[in-house]
Amino acid sequence: MVKVLIAGGAGYIGSTIASACLDAGIVPVILDNLVTGRREFTAGRAVYEGDIADGLLVDRLFAEHPDIYAVIHCAGLIVVPDSVADPVGYYRANVTKSLDFTAHLLRNGCRRLIFSSSAAIYRASEDLTVDEDSAIETQSPYARTKAVCEAMFADIAAAEPLRVLSLRYFNPIGADPKMRTGLQRQRPTHALGRMIHARDEGLPFVITGTDWPTRDGTGIRDYIHVWDLATAHVAALTRFDSLPGPATAINLGTGSGTTVRELLGMFNHVSDRPVSVREAGRRPGDKVGAYTRTDRAARLLAWQPQYDITAGIRHSLEWAAMRDDLLSADADR
Ligand SMILES: NC(=O)c1ccc[n+]([C@@H]2O[C@H](COP(=O)([O-])OP(=O)(O)OC[C@H]3O[C@@H](n4cnc5c(N)ncnc54)[C@H](O)[C@@H]3O)[C@@H](O)[C@H]2O)c1
């Protein structure tokens, strides 16, 4: 039976990947320091509670699981404004610790690494689409930590017997369709999270920015169901050894862009309580957004997303309704 180490496997995406692995007959071993992850998301799974930079812990994990086939590295901090306020903390958490982790992995004979990267590294093009060869233009310390890690892994893969696949996620929504896990935060700040909050509080949803160069003036994103993201990792594990280079990057999105106004229209269609809208100006640091061309993911992973945005909204709402019962009181960290 194939076994994978999932660093950050108690978080939103990592725990969903662990579920997708289990459903595919792959055994996940989780390494997580629970800085934002949830112990509840690791129930019944092999778990090591600790830091990716802790070499002794990583050595023990590999000694106890010498048959680990690959490592999926989702561990990191992800809040853009926090990265602006605390760049030292973010570079340490996302870059320094990733470097230490890689050294621990090399020492333990790891040959395959899948890295959670982000579409936040791209400069949007005129037509608002990007592919893996589009220009990199990072706009925040968070995005730069991702770009730096990708470059660092490519350098390491060129010199060491380690191959690296960077998966650049677009905008994950939804929850595990079987409701094992979902977003642990009570007040997510992305558009769908703010819509759910507006609905729950009976407040209008505020569209920030209505003068972007999109079809209706609101920002555009490529919303991808988190379960589809997770199954892409299973596909990547299956096809890892046929990837073209020692370091490869693949975008994970649906291939279509959705504006904030369109997302709200879909939300109000799915939700039993529609929300009204209030328009406001752009916030500092906002971006028009982008969506991906999906050719490389289809070609190299033989993967394509299965869920549409409506399913993502439905699963997010379903999860939001049960989240507080599943997670203990300190959940909103
Ligand atoms: N959520 C998004 O919108 C998004 C988009 C693009 C890329 N990503 C990337 O996907 C990955 C997972 O994101 P997420 O949304 O699941 O976030 P998350 O905060 O839910 O998960 C991150 C997990 O990593 C753990 N962690 C952090 N630092 C650690 C360390 N030093 N040692 C061990 N564990 C540590 C946390 O406890 C948490 O469980 C991140 O690398 C993020 O940059 C996320």
Side-chain angles (χ1 to χ4, degrees):
M1 195 141 12
V2 174
K3 196 181 270 184
V4 293
L5 167 56
I6 306 180
Y12 170 52
I13 297 170
S15 65
T16 318
I17 296 170
S19 297
C21 284
L22 282 166
D23 289 4
I26 298 167
V27 177
V29 177
I30 289 153
L31 171 61
D32 200 299
N33 66 2
L34 300 182
V35 60
T36 56
R38 300 294 310 188
R39 191 171 286 123
E40 294 90 332
F41 290 172
T42 66
R45 300 170 182 182
V47 57
Y48 289 74
E49 212 177 295
D51 203 287
I52 56 168
D54 181 345
L56 290 178
L57 179 64
V58 176
D59 290 348
R60 179 159 71 81
L61 191 155
F62 273 87
E64 291 171 2
H65 300 277
D67 50 343
I68 284 173
Y69 172 78
V71 175
I72 299 175
H73 175 20
C74 319
L77 301 181
I78 69 159
V79 182
V80 171
D82 290 358
S83 77
V84 175
D86 179 21
V88 173
Y90 263 68
Y91 277 97
R92 181 178 295 127
N94 290 0
V95 178
T96 310
K97 289 188 179 196
S98 288
L99 179 60
D100 288 346
F101 186 42
T102 312
H104 306 327
L105 296 180
L106 287 170
R107 183 172 68 247
N108 283 284
C110 168
R111 297 285 179 269
R112 301 175 188 88
L113 179 65
I114 298 176
F115 173 60
S116 297
S117 189
S118 172
I121 65 176
Y122 287 120
R123 173 167 65 203
S125 62
E126 291 259 300
D127 71 353
L128 302 174
T129 72
V130 292
D131 67 17
E132 293 81 356
D133 297 321
S134 295
I136 305 290
E137 187 180 276
T138 51
Q139 306 248 340
S140 68
Y142 164 73
R144 271 184 284 284
T145 66
K146 292 285 153 185
V148 169
C149 275
E150 278 202 25
M152 177 176 90
F153 288 136
D155 285 340
I156 294 169
E160 301 281 354
L162 174 75
R163 293 161 65 87
V164 183
L165 169 62
S166 293
L167 295 176
R168 296 172 178 165
Y169 308 160
F170 279 68
N171 300 86
I173 58 169
D176 171 18
K178 293 186 187 161
M179 294 295 132
R180 285 165 287 194
T181 60
L183 253 188
Q184 65 275 45
R185 285 175 291 280
Q186 202 167 27
R187 294 276 306 270
T189 53
H190 59 49
L192 179 56
R194 291 191 292 113
M195 283 172 201
I196 295 175
H197 180 67
R199 181 191 86 135
D200 292 347
E201 301 295 320
L203 298 167
F205 172 77
V206 183
I207 297 183
T208 47
T210 53
D211 56 352
W212 294 107
T214 61
R215 48 189 172 258
D216 63 18
T218 64
I220 199 158
R221 299 286 182 274
D222 188 336
Y223 296 101
I224 170 122
H225 197 293
V226 69
W227 186 257
D228 285 323
L229 270 191
T231 61
H233 292 72
V234 175
L237 289 168
T238 312
R239 303 208 154 220
F240 196 95
D241 289 344
S242 61
L243 293 172
T248 306
I250 300 178
N251 289 350
L252 295 181
T254 64
S256 54
T258 303
T259 69
V260 176
R261 245 190 257 282
E262 289 165 349
L263 184 70
L264 186 65
M266 293 181 206
F267 181 84
N268 281 339
H269 185 68
V270 173
S271 169
D272 52 347
R273 275 172 284 152
V275 296
S276 59
V277 67
R278 184 163 71 75
E279 296 188 359
R282 300 179 188 182
R283 298 164 304 180
D286 280 350
K287 287 167 78 169
V288 60
Y291 55 102
T292 186
R293 296 190 282 274
T294 53
D295 314 50
R296 192 182 290 184
R299 184 166 47 84
L300 295 182
L301 302 181
W303 163 90
Q304 53 185 31
Q306 302 297 322
Y307 285 108
D308 62 13
I309 294 183
T310 307
I313 294 170
R314 204 164 21 82
H315 288 140
S316 289
L317 284 168
E318 207 180 319
W319 171 259
M322 53 193 289
R323 176 195 160 281
D324 289 352
D325 291 333
L326 291 179
L327 301 184
S328 51
D330 64 336
D332 196 25
R333 293 176 304 180

